[in-house]
Amino acid sequence: PHVLGVMAGQTVQIKNDDPTTHNIHPTPKDNREWNESQPPSSPALEKNFAREEIMLPVKCNQHPWMKMYVNVVKNPFFAVTDKSGKYEIKGLPPGDYTLAFVHEKLGEQDQKVTVAAKETKTVDQSFKAGGE
């Protein structure tokens, strides 16, 4: 996937279903960097990221056009939007929260929300080029 959300310490399986070798190379600021080749049909690589880090870049050294971002958070309350831009966060305890919406080129926008017990809320956020 182009964007992946995981919890700190969660095991991530990286599979190569392509008929070519890839080289997976995360370049984090706050986590351990690694760089591993993965031939076709090889076993999945099992990795994790110990510390919270947003938009951690991962590239393929074999194919410079291939890149992705891993968002590592401390809790299970996160989501990646689907193709239409929709997302859902389930099981959020009642309380006051700040939702951080992050886009790879347009940065981060925060929005405060209060959730009551058994309440469902819709929170929309739009990004505009140029930060408008």
Side-chain angles (χ1 to χ4, degrees):
H2 186 64
V3 175
L4 180 65
V6 299
M7 285 181 57
Q10 177 181 351
T11 298
V12 178
Q13 284 194 337
I14 302 159
K15 298 177 182 179
N16 180 3
D17 295 329
D18 293 337
T20 187
T21 297
H22 291 290
N23 185 266
I24 300 89
H25 186 185
T27 55
K29 292 178 185 159
D30 300 322
N31 283 281
R32 184 178 60 82
E33 182 174 355
W34 51 273
N35 186 351
E36 223 169 297
S37 187
Q38 190 177 41
S41 303
S42 61
L45 299 174
E46 292 197 352
K47 302 290 182 180
N48 67 62
F49 300 95
R51 287 176 283 292
E52 194 169 42
E53 186 166 346
I54 303 303
M55 297 304 281
L56 186 160
V58 180
K59 61 184 176 178
C60 174
N61 290 344
Q62 296 287 113
H63 308 100
W65 63 90
M66 296 180 80
K67 67 178 180 179
M68 72 172 293
Y69 298 93
V70 178
N71 292 291
V72 185
V73 295
K74 295 177 185 176
N75 63 63
F77 304 112
F78 59 87
V80 176
T81 57
D82 65 17
K83 290 178 182 177
S84 68
K86 293 184 180 180
Y87 70 97
E88 187 174 36
I89 300 173
K90 290 184 175 184
L92 196 62
D96 296 323
Y97 297 95
T98 300
L99 296 179
F101 296 87
V102 182
H103 186 278
E104 70 180 276
K105 293 180 180 159
L106 303 176
E108 180 177 319
Q109 295 182 19
D110 295 343
Q111 196 172 137
K112 294 193 180 299
V113 63
T114 299
V115 180
K118 299 182 181 180
E119 181 180 26
T120 298
K121 281 228 168 147
T122 298
V123 180
D124 294 327
Q125 186 66 42
S126 297
F127 283 84
K128 294 179 183 169
E132 297 174 18

